[in-house]
Each structure stands twice: as structure tokens, then as C-alpha cells.
Amino acid sequence: MKELLSGNEAIAQGAWECGVEIGVGYPGTPSTETLENLSKHDVVYCEWAPNEKVALEVAIGSAMGGARSLVTMKHVGVNVAADPLMSVCNAGVNGGLVLLCADDPSIFSSQNEQDSRNYAAFARVPMLEPADSSEAHEFIQRAFDISEQFDTPAMLRESMRIAHTKTLVETCDTANKPGLKPFEPTPSKYVMVPANARARRLAADERTDQLIEFAETTDLNRVEMRGNEIGIICSGACYQHVREALPDASTFKLGMSWPLPPKKLAEFAAAVDHVYVVEEACDYFAVHVSALGIKLDVPPCGSLPQAGELTPALVKAAFGVEAPAHVAPAENLPIRFPSLCAGCPHRLVFTTLRDMHAVVTGDIGCYTLGASAPLNAVHSTIDMGASLSMAHGMELAKVPERTGHPVVGVIGDSTFAHSGITSLLGTVYNGGAGTLCVLDNRTTAMTGCQGNPCNGVTLTEQVRGMNPLDVPAGKPLNIENLCRALGVEDVVSVNSQDLKAVRKALKDAVKASDRLFVIVFHSPCRLIDRHREQVPTITDCRACGRCINLGCPAIGKDEDGRAVIDETQCIGCDQCVQTCPFGCIAKDGE
Ligand SMILES: Cc1ncc(C[n+]2csc(CCOP(=O)(O)OP(=O)(O)O)c2C)c(N)n1
């Protein structure tokens, strides 16, 4: 059957067709929908792990137990999973093991730009790179075959463009299940003590030689000769850009980007006058192809950009091909800054921290928007879990004493479960002090409201229609009890929609500067709790700007600077009612 599928949908479909038994991952744009789609197939067991390291370890276990296992994550997730990856690459597999990593060139929705192909070269595991959904569907199946044939984990890399673009895919309506492989305990293969690890390292070297031979002959790597003048080495979405920008150029499309096929690349280079690499946001091919002794040319009109996603227009510009003029957007379009939603339970915590002039070590989630104007309350966002450990570091550097401003770490519920728990443990263990806030909105909002250990809603339940607010079958984590069990003595629970309570909790906590305080703010995300209350009205506004400074998208101002409420966006959360110092905002009858 022909279907129009996104790369993620195609990978899920292909994984089901080739008999994947277990899918495990941690959400992260642009990878998230892969596991959500795979879990729609009842026969495949899928779950969200608390983080990517755990996800990969679960998949290593199920693959070792004989089940074809898929693990999914975004590019930065591979950093978290790198520890098991760098050992399982030597141990190898039993049932096939494929790690899907979704890269984000141009940083549309991430904390950095990094190219996962470097991890394949680092771990010496085969890396496949589809260039459209049809290939995504095929390559996931080929990756499992390669994994089992060569006794290695394999990686499949997609970029945002491949993950979210829909193209036609020829799908099959029956799954070809190889079934579970027998499990034979083989400690010499899986117990990575030095004596075994040394032997496995040599086995991995032999495997690399076999994979290079495979790369020379596989049809995953395709030479398309269209003339002898220009030859371009490329992969993934960049192949599509090259075809569009330079339709007459010969191409070497690498469907397998690690290991490279040295002989085949040298033959291609010899067959053309000029050989170039076209890749985005990284010099992976440039470095690895040059290292094979192939001299690469610089495009006639200058190198391609080092950072960011490529487009056909950028490729054309580098090769001196005229491109249609860029159509500038219409003038005077209203500027829309990213902001927390109307009624977001994170907002009052940030307005309070801003007004207290706190130094806030932030984290990754919707609440990163606490850094945007007019909240301007967050001073760092580095990686998941860093808020709590960085707050401890700031305390060690005596920032509160030296600046007169309290340091407060702020983390979301999913991020707390991902890697905040060990950060908190480090602070407790070392006798640290300070104020740490967990913003529990009952969901992983940033990536599309997935369940997580704090609400206990499993992936299977959610795919079957469960709301994270419903009572789950899984076990929800009691954050307060966990913090107490870790040794934090001062733990308080606060309704994050109650401004007075938010202010009091934060003021009390920062006053006790020699103690460690954890405040757990609770209130559901407005995307999972969609009820709306009466919209308030504004009378005699004095244009003080306090409600405007909430940064609520439902509040604007008229020409005189007086506040106005956009009734279509307002959900009647009362944050502005509580904030107005003059009582000018109220609901009828109150
Ligand atoms: C290592 C890593 N994995 C995954 C992501 C994708 N991601 C960004 S924020 C986030 C979780 C946000 O959930 P939560 O902490 O509950 O905050 P909320 O968005 O609900 O406010 C995830 C999974 C990431 N940025 N980095």
C-alpha cells in the first residue's frame, strides 16, 4: 500500500514490519513521534524511560535477551546514553539493536547543534542515513539486519527535515517477525571486565574491517553519474538539496555514513574533475573523506555555512547558480515573542523570582521561557538536570554572599526524573544549601505532553487515550517523599497558581540561606487541563504595567498603555487578578 508518512511514522512502520519486539526511548524533538507511532501496534511493547541512558540500557538488555529492540532519542540524548553506547559497541548484540537519533541542524528546538555521525565513528557502529520517508522505512529494517549480521548495535540518523517531512512510502500490512532469539548466557561477551573488554575490542576491530567491505558493495551507498565535471558526496536531507540545486552534478549518496567505503569513494573522486562534500552543521564528511587521501575542492563561490541547516538556495549560492530572489516577509507584521501559554502554572514562580532579583539556574522544558522578556528571570540553561547541580556550584562560588542575590535552581517534573534526582543527591550528600524548585505540571509539556515517572502515566496508556491527569496504572512518583528520602529536611508543596503562597514559599526559603529547601510547585499544564473559567474585566486601569509584565499572551495594552484582555486567549486563571496592585482586574460578582 502507498502511504504519505513522515520520517518518524515511516521508521515506526518499518520497525513493526521487521518484527521489532521492544521500543524504548525518551521524548525529544524531532524523534518523539517514532515511539508514539510504534506503540500503536499492540504486538510491540513500548515504554518511555526516565532518560536516554536508561532507555538504551533497557534496549541493550532486551536485545541481549534475544528481542529486536529499537531505542529512540534526539541528538543530545545520545550524550546522555553515551556511556552504555561506548561499551555495548564492543559487547555486541543477540537480537538486533538499533539506536534512532534525530538531529536538529539550525537548533529549531534544542540546546545545541551536534552531528550524531561523530558518535557512530567514535563508537565504531554502523550509521545509516535515510534521505526521505521511503528510505527511512527501508533503512530501519536494513539497520536491524546489519545489527544481527555483524553482531553490533547500529544507528539510524535522521534530521528534523527527514523526521517531519511527509513523502510516499510503500508499506506492507503484515509484519515479518523473526521472533525471539534464544538467550544463551555468554559472560565473555557481555561482562566488560578488562580481560573480556580487551578481547571484545579486538573483535570490534575485526567487525570494522568486515563493515568496510560491506560498505564497498552495499546498495545503501549509491553512485549516480551525470557527468564528469562535478562530483558531490552527500547524505540524508543534503542529498535532496543537492539534487534540487545542482541537477546535473554526479552524486555519491552515502546511505551508510560510517564506515565509509574508501575504494568506492576514491573511484568516484577519480571519475570527476572536482569533488566536493555537501553537509550541514558539521565537517564529518570533510574530515573523514579527506583522511582517506581524497582531495576535496572548495565550492567556486565559497564554502558552505559551517552552522545551521542547508537549503537548496545555500547550495546554489556556493556553486554560483542563480537562485530565485529571496521573498522578504511583508513589513509591519506583528512580532510574537515565544511565551508561556495563557494560564501556564510556571508563570507566577518566574514573576516572583524576577521581582526578588534571584539568580536562577534554569533547566530545559517549557519553563526555559522564564528567560524570555518580560519575565527575564532565568540566568542559565545548559543541559537537562543542570539547574540543581549548577545552583550548588553557584553556592560554592559564594554568589549569594558576593552579589546579595539568592540563588534558586528551577527544574520541571520530567527533567527532575531525567537527571535532577542525582543532582539533588549530590547537593544533599555534600551538605549544600540553597533553594531548589520543582515545577510539577503533571506532564512533559515541552515535547507534547508525554507521561513521565512523576505522573506515572505510561506510553501504552497514553496512546490508548489516557490524559496525564487520570489515575494511571503505573506508579506516580511522590516528589516530596523522594526529596525527604534523599535527606532534604525542608520540603514544601505549593499551589503554583496561588500568588501569595508562591511568594511566601520563595521568600521563606531564600531567607534560610544556610539550609537546603525544596519547593514542589503543583498545578497542571493548561494543555492537559483544558477547563476555562470566567474571563475577568478591567475597570479604571492605571497603566502601571504589572499585569503586562506577567508576559501573558492574553493581555495587551491600548494606545494609552492601559491593559486589555484578549477574550479568545484568556482562560480565566486569575494570575492577573492576583497581580494587579489596585484591584482593577476582577471577575463579575467578585
Ligand atoms: C538530553 C535531552 N533529552 C531530551 C530533550 C528534549 N526535552 C526538552 S525539555 C524536555 C522535558 C520537559 O518536561 P518538564 O521538565 O516536565 O517541563 P515542562 O516542559 O513540562 O515544563 C525534554 C524531554 C532535551 N532537550 N535534552
Side-chain angles (χ1 to χ4, degrees):
M1 186 171 46
K2 273 214 157 49
E3 289 184 77
L4 195 56
L5 299 179
S6 69
N8 285 341
E9 290 166 337
I11 291 168
Q13 172 70 21
W16 169 73
E17 285 178 26
C18 77
V20 165
E21 308 267 352
I22 309 288
V24 54
Y26 183 70
T29 310
S31 70
T32 314
E33 310 83 31
T34 312
L35 212 54
E36 289 172 337
N37 277 287
L38 186 58
S39 67
K40 288 179 188 160
H41 297 281
D42 285 347
V43 291
V44 188
Y45 173 77
C46 292
E47 67 180 29
W48 291 126
N51 67 33
E52 294 85 351
K53 175 179 183 291
V54 175
L56 178 55
E57 289 160 349
V58 171
I60 293 171
S62 53
M64 181 176 147
R68 281 197 158 187
S69 305
L70 174 67
V71 56
T72 69
M73 60 195 68
K74 68 184 289 165
H75 61 307
V76 279
V78 188
N79 302 336
V80 180
D83 195 14
L85 177 65
M86 295 308 296
S87 292
V88 73
C89 61
N90 292 336
V93 300
N94 180 22
L97 172 61
V98 177
L99 189 162
L100 166 71
C101 53
D103 287 8
D104 184 12
S106 274
I107 320 185
F108 292 107
S109 184
S110 301
Q111 57 268 42
N112 77 1
E113 189 176 64
Q114 64 182 51
D115 190 322
S116 303
R117 293 177 300 178
N118 289 306
Y119 269 114
F122 191 24
R124 296 173 305 138
V125 298
M127 167 66 94
L128 269 52
E129 275 194 83
D132 59 22
S133 301
S134 173
E135 284 193 350
H137 172 256
E138 180 195 341
F139 284 16
I140 184 70
Q141 309 189 45
R142 304 278 298 266
F144 275 101
D145 292 342
I146 291 170
S147 168
E148 287 172 1
Q149 183 184 343
F150 293 93
D151 187 9
T152 175
M155 293 177 77
L156 186 83
R157 172 188 185 250
E158 54 173 359
S159 60
M160 182 78 88
R161 218 37 63 183
I162 302 299
H164 287 170
T165 302
K166 293 200 173 197
T167 65
L168 280 178
V169 180
E170 183 75 51
T171 60
C172 186
D173 55 11
T174 49
N176 172 20
K177 279 176 106 43
L180 293 170
K181 287 192 167 181
F183 168 65
E184 301 286 347
T186 32
S188 59
K189 191 165 179 301
Y190 296 111
V191 179
M192 288 296 105
V193 291
N196 292 341
R198 274 182 223 119
R200 292 308 304 172
R201 154 87 220 211
L202 297 179
D205 285 346
E206 267 176 43
R207 183 188 71 203
T208 297
D209 293 341
Q210 293 159 10
L211 281 164
I212 292 172
E213 282 307 306
F214 176 79
E216 296 285 4
T217 52
T218 176
D219 60 354
L220 291 163
N221 295 331
R222 200 167 71 220
V223 174
E224 298 169 2
M225 291 307 289
R226 301 183 185 87
N228 297 335
E229 203 186 324
I230 295 180
I232 299 197
I233 298 166
C234 52
S235 66
C238 294
Y239 166 77
Q240 308 289 9
H241 300 329
V242 168
R243 291 294 297 122
E244 186 172 335
L246 308 170
D248 299 330
S250 295
T251 47
F252 194 146
K253 177 185 178 302
L254 284 154
M256 180 152 138
S257 50
W258 193 92
L260 295 176
K263 286 190 216 124
K264 212 169 173 181
L265 280 165
E267 278 164 24
F268 179 68
V272 290
D273 300 338
H274 300 282
V275 60
Y276 307 92
V277 294
V278 170
E279 58 188 332
E280 56 195 1
C282 187
D283 55 3
Y284 172 84
F285 279 149
V287 168
H288 289 267
V289 174
S290 303
L292 297 173
I294 295 169
K295 192 182 161 317
L296 296 172
D297 289 294
V298 176
C301 297
S303 302
L304 287 153
Q306 283 283 299
E309 196 183 35
L310 284 187
T311 60
L314 285 169
V315 178
K316 281 185 180 171
F319 284 85
V321 179
E322 216 173 291
H326 177 67
V327 183
E331 280 176 22
N332 301 326
L333 288 175
I335 298 169
R336 281 196 295 165
F337 294 104
S339 66
L340 296 171
C341 303
C344 173
H346 300 330
R347 179 173 284 105
L348 295 179
V349 174
F350 288 116
T351 54
T352 305
L353 289 169
R354 174 195 62 199
D355 297 346
M356 287 166 66
H357 303 289
V359 176
V360 176
T361 52
D363 224 299
I364 305 188
C366 287
Y367 51 94
T368 309
L369 289 168
S372 309
L375 298 174
N376 300 324
V378 172
H379 299 93
S380 70
T381 300
I382 300 291
D383 68 295
M384 289 188 76
S387 55
L388 305 191
S389 14
M390 282 182 64
H392 179 49
M394 295 281 249
E395 293 279 333
L396 296 180
K398 305 213 177 315
V399 171
E401 292 93 314
R402 285 166 38 224
T403 63
H405 300 300
V407 170
V408 178
V410 178
I411 193 165
D413 51 343
S414 186
T415 307
F416 181 66
H418 178 279
S419 43
I421 296 172
T422 41
S423 300
L424 177 58
L425 186 59
T427 306
V428 175
Y429 165 50
N430 290 295
T435 303
L436 306 177
C437 303
V438 184
L439 306 186
D440 175 19
N441 60 355
R442 309 305 294 155
T443 191
T444 314
M446 178 83 166
T447 47
C449 294
Q450 288 76 24
N452 68 49
C454 296
N455 61 31
V457 174
T458 63
L459 175 55
T460 317
E461 286 174 316
Q462 216 171 357
V463 163
R464 295 190 183 142
M466 187 168 196
N467 186 299
L469 288 177
D470 301 337
V471 180
K475 267 216 155 154
L477 171 71
N478 183 314
I479 301 172
E480 286 87 340
N481 282 353
L482 176 83
C483 293
R484 287 187 193 106
L486 291 179
V488 185
E489 285 166 18
D490 296 300
V491 183
V492 291
S493 316
V494 174
N495 172 0
S496 49
Q497 296 286 12
D498 179 344
L499 182 57
K500 272 197 194 130
V502 171
R503 282 184 181 151
K504 179 170 175 353
L506 282 168
K507 284 195 177 142
D508 288 351
V510 302
K511 231 186 276 162
S513 57
D514 56 337
R515 296 180 70 84
L516 179 62
F517 252 90
V518 174
I519 310 173
V520 187
F521 290 101
H522 297 282
S523 184
C525 169
R526 303 316 301 233
L527 295 176
I528 55 170
D529 177 6
R530 297 217 171 215
H531 85 272
R532 297 169 83 114
E533 300 278 342
Q534 187 192 351
V535 174
T537 47
I538 306 181
T539 36
D540 298 331
C541 175
R542 306 190 193 179
C544 71
R546 293 292 289 271
C547 61
I548 304 287
N549 275 341
L550 283 168
C552 174
I555 306 180
K557 29 181 180 179
D558 65 14
E559 303 94 59
D560 303 320
R562 282 192 291 254
V564 283
I565 292 179
D566 175 353
E567 291 192 16
T568 57
Q569 293 207 59
C570 178
I571 58 156
C573 70
D574 273 3
Q575 291 177 356
C576 56
V577 175
Q578 298 176 74
T579 300
C580 177
F582 305 108
C584 300
I585 313 180
K587 289 186 172 165
D588 289 351
E590 285 178 8

